[in-house]
Amino acid sequence: MGFIPVFVLTVLFFVMMFGIGFILNMLMKTTWFPAYLFVLVILPVVVYSIWDRSSMTLWEHLSSFHLVDYLTGIAGLAGAVLSGWTIRRLRLGGYKMF
């Protein structure tokens, strides 16, 4: 895969998880829920759903991912964490809506 599609995909996952995390934080009045949700639910469900358990072990499956797969996962996690940090800073700044 070329540089431009990987860059667009990484930015897209970052923005998508930041937006979803920001909205969840604002509606549920939580701070770190989207980051926990991403690590504890979304990543394992994605890995488990595409894993062919009959032909390979978990470690072989994880090693079959490429750099672009890990970059999109890290970008999504960074977006979720940054949304929690942004909500926290807005609350500390005195914004009652968040």
Side-chain angles (χ1 to χ4, degrees):
M1 208 179 243
F3 174 74
I4 293 176
V6 171
F7 180 73
V8 168
L9 187 65
T10 304
V11 171
L12 179 69
F13 268 78
F14 176 81
V15 170
M16 181 179 65
M17 284 308 299
F18 179 83
I20 291 170
F22 192 85
I23 291 170
L24 279 175
N25 282 329
M26 197 167 51
L27 292 176
M28 297 178 63
K29 299 290 184 188
T30 63
T31 302
W32 301 111
F33 176 72
Y36 296 141
L37 181 75
F38 188 81
V39 170
L40 297 176
V41 175
I42 295 174
L43 284 180
V45 165
V46 168
V47 168
Y48 188 75
S49 66
I50 61 175
W51 177 25
D52 183 18
R53 290 168 290 288
S54 65
S55 66
M56 64 178 74
T57 64
L58 176 64
W59 298 114
E60 290 172 345
H61 175 62
L62 291 177
S63 67
S64 69
F65 289 143
H66 298 287
L67 179 63
V68 71
D69 301 322
Y70 289 112
L71 284 177
T72 54
I74 291 169
L77 180 62
V81 169
L82 191 64
S83 71
W85 182 82
T86 303
I87 287 288
R88 188 178 61 146
R89 296 302 302 164
L90 286 169
R91 287 185 189 140
L92 289 175
Y95 292 96
K96 303 284 184 210
M97 183 173 116
F98 303 108

